[in-house]
Every structure is written in C-alpha cells, then in structure tokens.
Amino acid sequence: MTNSPPPSPPPAGPSVTAITLGVRDVAASAAFYTTGLGFVLLDRVADEIAFVQAGHGLMIALWDVEQMPSEYGEVGHGRLAPPVSLGHNVSAADDVAEWHRLAVDAGAVSITEPTAQPWGGVSACVADPDGFRWDFVYNPAFGVADTGEVTGV
C-alpha cells in the first residue's frame, strides 16, 4: 500500500453572479430598476429580457415571465407575493427612509414604512412592479471586509 497525498480541498463553492426575476413587463421593470433605483442597464433584448448591474460581479436579469418556461419549466405569478426578497444594506439609519422613498417614487408599493427594529437597526420593505420585495436595512453590526466576507449579520 502506498501513501497517497491527502485529497485536495474542494474548490470554493459557486458564487451568485445573476439573480433572475420573472417580470410581467420588461420595459416597466427596466425603468424601475434603472431610472428609479439607479442600477446601470447592461443590455436589453427588446421585450424579452434586460440585465442591470447589481453589484461587484452581480447582475439582475429581468426576464419576461411568459418566456421563462422555455428554460426554467413552469413558473408564474400567483395570488401571493413571490417568496423572494432582495436586500440593500445601507450605512446609516436615515438612508433607509431615502431608499424607501426613491423606490415608492419609482412605482413600488410600500409594504412596511421605515421602522426601528428591536435588534438595533432600521428596516423598510417595498414591492417592485411585479411584487418582488426589496428590503432596505440599516444594521449597525453589518460590514463587508476587504476580502468581500460579510460580517455582523
């Protein structure tokens, strides 16, 4: 029996580089995300799909929900809100109210007004034109290290 070297550690897990939302109206959603929230439009293919830059190496794809089954199988909007929430952590408590206002001005529906939370932060929630929830959160413990590691959650 020969001594073989220990197995190599597995490669780092996958990273999220795209979040795809099934939307009813690509033009309206693209306007909400770019003009309303300030994301940069990367590309748009007619009324089929639009891509916006959402962070370092991260994009949000706004795909016509009627075309999604060709790749994702049966999907669709129902009576309840989609069970997805996108979050934006901010660096100051007052920023929560500002982001909430910007989103509502861009066509979002307010779900919860900016509220002081028992854990010491402030949060608010809106629904985008398709009902996807956006949380705007100030968490005084939240941080991002130079390595990209999230701390204080």
Side-chain angles (χ1 to χ4, degrees):
M1 180 187 234
T2 62
N3 287 342
S4 44
S8 300
S15 61
V16 176
T17 57
I19 298 169
T20 301
L21 303 177
V23 301
R24 293 177 182 102
D25 183 331
V26 172
S29 290
F32 174 79
Y33 282 87
T34 58
T35 305
L37 294 184
F39 288 98
V40 173
L41 182 67
L42 298 172
D43 193 14
R44 181 163 163 211
V45 180
D47 289 328
E48 180 181 341
I49 194 166
F51 301 92
V52 297
Q53 185 78 40
H56 181 84
L58 177 64
M59 66 181 168
I60 296 175
L62 306 166
W63 195 3
D64 174 25
V65 71
E66 297 297 323
Q67 297 184 36
M68 289 178 81
S70 67
E71 188 171 329
Y72 293 165
E74 291 188 38
V75 298
H77 292 276
R79 183 180 62 77
L80 298 175
V84 171
S85 173
L86 303 169
H88 177 55
N89 286 282
V90 298
S91 58
D94 291 343
D95 292 347
V96 171
E98 179 63 14
W99 279 102
H100 181 268
R101 183 192 61 75
L102 285 169
V104 169
D105 288 352
V109 174
S110 178
I111 302 300
T112 56
E113 297 288 323
T115 304
Q117 298 297 336
W119 41 266
V122 176
S123 67
C125 183
V126 300
D128 81 356
D130 287 281
F132 291 104
R133 298 323 200 232
W134 267 92
D135 288 319
F136 303 111
V137 179
Y138 167 67
N139 176 347
F142 178 83
V144 179
D146 290 341
T147 61
E149 179 185 5
V150 174
T151 61
V153 293

